[in-house]
Coordinates of all heavy atoms in Angstrom, one line a residue:
Chain B
I35 N -1.0 27.5 20.7 CA -0.6 28.8 20.1 C -1.6 29.1 19.1 O -2.0 28.3 18.3 CB 0.9 28.7 19.5 CG1 1.9 28.8 20.7 CG2 1.1 29.8 18.5 CD1 3.3 28.9 20.2
T36 N -2.0 30.4 19.1 CA -2.9 30.9 18.1 C -2.2 32.0 17.3 O -1.7 33.0 17.9 CB -4.2 31.4 18.7 OG1 -4.8 30.4 19.4 CG2 -5.2 31.9 17.6
V37 N -2.2 31.9 16.0 CA -1.6 33.0 15.2 C -2.6 33.3 14.1 O -3.5 32.5 13.7 CB -0.3 32.6 14.6 CG1 0.7 32.3 15.7 CG2 -0.4 31.4 13.6
S38 N -2.5 34.5 13.5 CA -3.3 34.9 12.4 C -2.7 34.4 11.1 O -1.5 34.3 11.0 CB -3.5 36.4 12.3 OG -4.1 36.9 13.5
E39 N -3.5 34.1 10.2 CA -3.0 33.6 8.9 C -2.1 34.7 8.3 O -2.5 35.9 8.3 CB -4.2 33.3 7.9 CG -3.8 32.6 6.7 CD -4.9 32.0 5.9 OE1 -6.1 32.5 6.1 OE2 -4.7 31.2 5.0
G40 N -1.0 34.3 7.8 CA 0.0 35.2 7.2 C 1.0 35.7 8.2 O 2.1 36.2 7.8
A41 N 0.8 35.5 9.5 CA 1.7 35.8 10.5 C 2.8 34.8 10.6 O 2.7 33.7 10.1 CB 1.0 36.0 11.9
S42 N 3.9 35.2 11.3 CA 5.0 34.3 11.5 C 4.8 33.4 12.7 O 3.9 33.7 13.5 CB 6.3 35.1 11.6 OG 6.3 35.8 12.8
L43 N 5.5 32.3 12.7 CA 5.3 31.3 13.8 C 6.6 30.8 14.3 O 7.6 30.6 13.5 CB 4.5 30.1 13.2 CG 4.4 28.8 14.0 CD1 3.5 29.1 15.2 CD2 3.9 27.7 13.2
E44 N 6.7 30.6 15.6 CA 7.8 29.9 16.2 C 7.3 29.0 17.3 O 6.6 29.5 18.2 CB 8.8 30.9 16.8 CG 10.0 30.2 17.4 CD 11.2 31.1 17.7 OE1 11.0 32.2 18.1 OE2 12.4 30.6 17.7
L45 N 7.6 27.7 17.2 CA 7.2 26.8 18.2 C 8.5 26.3 18.9 O 9.5 26.0 18.3 CB 6.5 25.5 17.6 CG 5.3 25.8 16.8 CD1 4.7 24.5 16.2 CD2 4.2 26.6 17.6
K85 N 6.8 22.0 3.5 CA 5.7 23.0 3.8 C 6.2 24.3 4.2 O 5.5 25.1 4.9 CB 4.8 22.4 4.8 CG 4.2 21.1 4.4 CD 3.1 20.6 5.4 CE 2.5 19.3 5.0 NZ 1.4 18.9 5.9
G86 N 7.5 24.7 3.9 CA 8.0 26.0 4.2 C 8.5 26.2 5.7 O 8.8 27.3 6.1
F87 N 8.6 25.1 6.4 CA 9.1 25.1 7.8 C 10.6 25.0 7.8 O 11.3 24.5 6.9 CB 8.5 24.0 8.6 CG 7.1 24.1 9.0 CD1 6.1 23.6 8.2 CD2 6.7 24.8 10.1 CE1 4.7 23.8 8.5 CE2 5.4 25.0 10.5 CZ 4.4 24.5 9.6
L100 N 11.0 25.5 15.9 CA 10.4 25.4 14.6 C 9.9 26.8 14.2 O 9.2 27.4 15.0 CB 9.3 24.4 14.6 CG 8.6 24.1 13.2 CD1 9.6 23.3 12.3 CD2 7.3 23.3 13.5
R101 N 10.1 27.1 12.9 CA 9.6 28.5 12.5 C 9.0 28.3 11.1 O 9.3 27.5 10.3 CB 10.8 29.4 12.4 CG 11.5 29.7 13.8 CD 12.4 30.9 13.7 NE 13.5 30.7 12.8 CZ 14.8 30.7 13.2 NH1 15.1 30.7 14.5 NH2 15.7 30.6 12.3
K102 N 8.1 29.3 10.9 CA 7.6 29.5 9.5 C 7.3 31.0 9.4 O 6.7 31.6 10.2 CB 6.3 28.6 9.3 CG 5.8 28.7 7.9 CD 4.7 27.6 7.7 CE 4.3 27.7 6.2 NZ 3.3 26.6 5.9
P103 N 7.7 31.6 8.3 CA 7.6 33.0 8.1 C 6.1 33.5 7.9 O 5.8 34.6 8.3 CB 8.4 33.3 6.9 CG 8.7 32.0 6.2 CD 8.5 31.0 7.2
S104 N 5.3 32.6 7.3 CA 3.9 33.0 7.0 C 3.0 31.8 7.1 O 3.1 30.9 6.3 CB 3.8 33.7 5.6 OG 2.5 34.0 5.3
V105 N 2.2 31.8 8.1 CA 1.3 30.6 8.4 C 0.1 30.6 7.5 O -0.5 31.7 7.2 CB 0.9 30.6 9.8 CG1 -0.2 29.6 10.1 CG2 2.1 30.4 10.7
H106 N -0.3 29.4 7.0 CA -1.5 29.2 6.2 C -2.5 28.5 7.1 O -2.1 27.8 8.0 CB -1.1 28.4 5.0 CG -2.2 28.2 4.0 ND1 -3.0 27.1 3.9 CD2 -2.6 29.1 3.0 CE1 -3.9 27.3 2.9 NE2 -3.6 28.4 2.4
W107 N -3.8 28.7 6.7 CA -4.8 28.1 7.5 C -4.6 26.5 7.6 O -5.0 25.9 8.6 CB -6.2 28.4 7.0 CG -6.5 27.8 5.6 CD1 -6.3 28.5 4.4 CD2 -7.0 26.5 5.3 NE1 -6.6 27.6 3.4 CE2 -7.0 26.4 3.9 CE3 -7.3 25.4 6.1 CZ2 -7.5 25.2 3.2 CZ3 -7.8 24.2 5.4 CH2 -7.8 24.2 4.0
S108 N -4.1 26.0 6.6 CA -3.9 24.5 6.5 C -2.8 24.0 7.5 O -2.6 22.8 7.7 CB -3.6 24.0 5.1 OG -2.4 24.6 4.7
D109 N -2.1 25.0 8.1 CA -1.0 24.6 9.0 C -1.6 24.2 10.4 O -0.9 23.8 11.3 CB 0.0 25.7 9.2 CG 0.8 25.9 7.9 OD1 1.1 24.9 7.2 OD2 1.2 27.1 7.6
A110 N -2.9 24.5 10.6 CA -3.5 24.2 11.9 C -3.4 22.7 12.2 O -3.9 21.9 11.4 CB -4.9 24.7 11.9
Y113 N 1.8 19.8 16.7 CA 3.2 19.7 16.3 C 4.0 19.1 17.4 O 3.9 19.5 18.6 CB 3.8 21.1 15.9 CG 3.2 21.7 14.7 CD1 2.0 22.3 14.7 CD2 3.9 21.5 13.5 CE1 1.4 22.7 13.5 CE2 3.4 22.0 12.3 CZ 2.1 22.6 12.3 OH 1.6 23.1 11.1
L134 N -1.5 24.2 17.2 CA -1.5 25.4 16.5 C -2.9 25.7 16.0 O -3.5 24.9 15.3 CB -0.5 25.4 15.4 CG -0.5 26.7 14.4 CD1 -0.1 27.9 15.2 CD2 0.3 26.4 13.2
L135 N -3.5 26.9 16.4 CA -4.7 27.3 15.8 C -4.4 28.5 14.9 O -3.6 29.4 15.3 CB -5.7 27.7 16.9 CG -5.9 26.6 18.0 CD1 -6.7 27.2 19.1 CD2 -6.6 25.5 17.3
V136 N -5.1 28.6 13.8 CA -4.8 29.7 12.8 C -6.1 30.5 12.7 O -7.2 30.0 12.3 CB -4.4 29.2 11.5 CG1 -4.1 30.3 10.5 CG2 -3.1 28.3 11.6
R137 N -6.0 31.8 13.0 CA -7.2 32.7 12.8 C -7.2 33.2 11.4 O -6.2 33.5 10.8 CB -7.0 34.0 13.7 CG -7.4 33.8 15.2 CD -7.4 35.2 15.8 NE -6.1 35.8 15.8 CZ -5.3 35.9 16.9 NH1 -5.7 35.3 18.0 NH2 -4.1 36.5 16.8
P138 N -8.4 33.2 10.8 CA -8.5 33.7 9.4 C -8.1 35.2 9.3 O -8.2 35.9 10.2 CB -10.0 33.5 9.1 CG -10.7 33.0 10.3 CD -9.7 32.8 11.4

Side-chain angles (χ1 to χ4, degrees):
Chain B
I35 281 187
T36 302
V37 299
S38 297
E39 191 168 16
S42 64
L43 170 71
E44 183 169 29
L45 302 182
K85 304 185 179 186
F87 286 93
L100 183 71
R101 300 195 294 246
K102 186 169 185 178
S104 178
V105 169
H106 187 263
W107 63 267
S108 61
D109 292 325
Y113 291 80
L134 173 65
L135 305 174
V136 181
R137 279 193 297 258

